[in-house]
Amino acid sequence: MSAADEMVLAGSRPTPKSPIDGMHSRTSMVLLIDSFVLFMIAQAIVGLLIASIPGGLCFLTWLAYRNRVPVAYWPGAIVMMLATAFFLLFLFGNIYGMILGTGGSLLMTILIGWAAFSSIRFIRLHFHPVYRMGYLGHGIPGHDQQLHPGEMIAACPTCLAVLAINPLMLSLEDKCPHCDGPLILSEEE
């Protein structure tokens, strides 16, 4: 087993699959939940029969996205964007109600705020080229290159460029060759 087989993207849990597979699995779960939320909102507005149409489309998008059908990549992100827009609308409505004293609760504000924040994080993921390549089944550039002993693949904390680094040899003075940003963020940043 080489060091590349032990690669874990920053912030992800180690899985027996590739890091992109784990990220895709979590994104698929968020898409399923966001699809259900959109269905429930549509049902409350127009009724069950009419809401079944967008609900069915969201479910088909989720199925295709989960199976990595290329055409479902951006529709999946759009479903998450729609759900996020509703989360933000409900969040601001709840905050407005709390300010006026006409309703709203701190717990709901926190929960809806967390849902909006999480959805935004997963939407941003769709604009990252490494995730897009992994979704489409392409390899990560440079991932097939042989690493030297002690090296691992990591992302620059500033520009997210994929780099081969030796973590034991990094210092505060080391810079990214792409953006010239620091590879180790100091505590002040």
Side-chain angles (χ1 to χ4, degrees):
M1 182 182 291
S2 70
D5 293 333
E6 300 168 11
M7 179 183 79
V8 176
L9 293 180
S12 66
R13 294 183 208 119
T15 63
K17 305 178 282 184
S18 77
I20 297 295
D21 290 343
M23 208 174 297
H24 177 262
S25 175
R26 289 186 295 279
T27 306
S28 295
M29 180 56 71
V30 169
L31 178 58
L32 177 63
I33 293 167
D34 284 353
S35 297
F36 180 72
V37 167
L38 288 178
F39 170 71
M40 295 303 289
I41 292 170
Q43 180 188 4
I45 295 172
V46 296
L48 180 61
L49 186 61
I50 296 174
S52 297
I53 296 169
L57 289 174
C58 286
F59 182 73
L60 290 175
T61 299
W62 170 74
L63 279 176
Y65 187 91
R66 186 184 69 171
N67 292 317
R68 296 185 185 203
V69 175
V71 75
Y73 187 77
W74 287 113
I78 290 170
V79 167
M80 286 188 261
M81 287 179 202
L82 286 171
T84 302
F86 279 111
F87 289 147
L88 291 173
L89 184 68
F90 294 147
L91 176 65
F92 293 129
N94 207 24
I95 292 171
Y96 184 70
M98 286 174 46
I99 291 171
L100 291 181
T102 60
S105 95
L106 183 60
L107 178 61
M108 285 305 293
T109 301
I110 292 170
L111 291 174
I112 294 171
W114 180 253
F117 173 74
S118 296
S119 289
I120 289 169
R121 283 181 38 219
F122 281 100
I123 292 167
R124 287 184 53 215
L125 184 64
H126 285 81
F127 293 97
H128 197 283
V130 174
Y131 180 75
R132 186 178 313 154
M133 288 171 28
Y135 176 89
L136 297 173
H138 304 300
I140 298 171
H143 182 65
D144 55 348
Q145 295 176 352
Q146 192 67 17
L147 295 174
H148 299 289
E151 281 188 338
M152 62 182 284
I153 301 292
C156 168
T158 307
C159 69
L160 298 177
V162 178
L163 305 169
I165 61 153
N166 186 335
L168 299 177
M169 297 180 71
L170 279 178
S171 69
L172 289 172
E173 293 78 34
D174 288 329
K175 304 284 184 196
C176 173
H178 299 282
C179 70
D180 205 36
L183 291 178
I184 298 177
L185 298 177
S186 65
E187 293 179 12
E188 294 90 42
E189 294 181 36

